[in-house]
Amino acid sequence: MIISIIVAIGQNHAIGKNNQLLWHMPNDLKHFKEITQGRSIIMGRKTFDSVGKPLPRRRNIVVTRQDVEIPGCEVVKSIEEGLALCAGEDEVFIGGGAEIYRQAMDKTDRIYLTIVHENFDADTFFPEIDYAQWDEVSREYHNADEKNPHPYSFIQLNRR
């Protein structure tokens, strides 16, 4: 099973503020949907709360220490428990937030990284990436446009 992180970060590794995304980038949302549709995605409860509902056409697994039920989701106590539910799948996605990314980084085989080419005021950041451990497989640069207010790049990294 390939364990993949999918994340959009600012140049300063910013990913959120006040449990919200820092930008509205329709092309990144489309990219996220194309990559994760039909797959399992593991996310923390705060990330799920910021999304507000299960992601359609995906198996939603929410990691929380709380004893809660979330309609349309499977609730687990740890990333490991979430990964165990996905045994036999070819690729599973880690969808945030910061603490979930940090815990998953050493287990991750692939990173689908969107870099939004600006620094953002944030209170939540993606962990530093040790690029010596990763091979860049692809990179697509995109200019800002009328719908996507910031330049950005889609990058795929595979662990060496």
Side-chain angles (χ1 to χ4, degrees):
M1 172 172 59
I2 295 170
I3 299 170
S4 297
I5 282 177
I6 187 161
V7 64
I9 67 173
Q11 288 178 160
N12 58 340
H13 283 237
I15 59 173
K17 186 170 184 177
N18 299 322
N19 206 36
Q20 297 297 315
L21 293 175
L22 301 169
W23 47 75
H24 179 68
M25 302 280 290
N27 283 355
D28 182 53
L29 295 173
K30 180 181 173 192
H31 181 70
F32 176 91
K33 181 179 176 181
E34 288 172 354
I35 291 172
T36 62
Q37 199 162 311
R39 310 281 189 161
S40 294
I41 186 158
I42 299 171
M43 67 188 98
R45 186 199 43 81
K46 289 181 191 174
T47 297
F48 175 80
D49 288 348
S50 74
V51 174
K53 62 182 183 194
L55 296 168
R57 294 181 290 288
R58 279 156 276 213
R59 181 182 188 185
N60 290 258
I61 301 171
V62 178
V63 179
T64 180
R65 290 183 212 92
Q66 298 175 351
D67 191 18
V68 296
E69 288 187 23
I70 304 172
C73 299
E74 295 169 75
V75 178
V76 296
K77 300 286 186 199
S78 67
I79 293 170
E80 292 77 14
E81 189 179 338
L83 291 169
L85 288 178
C86 301
E89 296 181 26
D90 59 341
E91 186 172 21
V92 175
F93 289 90
I94 306 295
E99 180 60 20
I100 299 297
Y101 287 137
R102 189 189 65 71
Q103 290 178 27
M105 189 64 91
D106 289 342
K107 301 169 182 50
T108 298
D109 304 299
R110 184 176 291 155
I111 301 174
Y112 294 93
L113 179 66
T114 300
I115 297 180
V116 180
H117 296 291
E118 288 188 30
N119 291 318
F120 292 88
D121 178 33
D123 59 16
T124 309
F125 297 86
F126 189 75
E128 289 295 319
I129 299 170
D130 178 0
Y131 286 96
Q133 295 182 21
W134 301 91
D135 289 321
E136 185 174 308
V137 175
S138 63
R139 178 182 293 252
E140 296 173 25
Y141 177 83
H142 300 271
N143 287 311
D145 59 34
E146 63 281 349
K147 292 183 179 179
N148 299 278
H150 311 284
Y152 59 97
S153 295
F154 295 139
I155 302 164
Q156 182 181 325
L157 303 171
N158 288 355
R159 189 175 295 277
R160 292 192 166 150

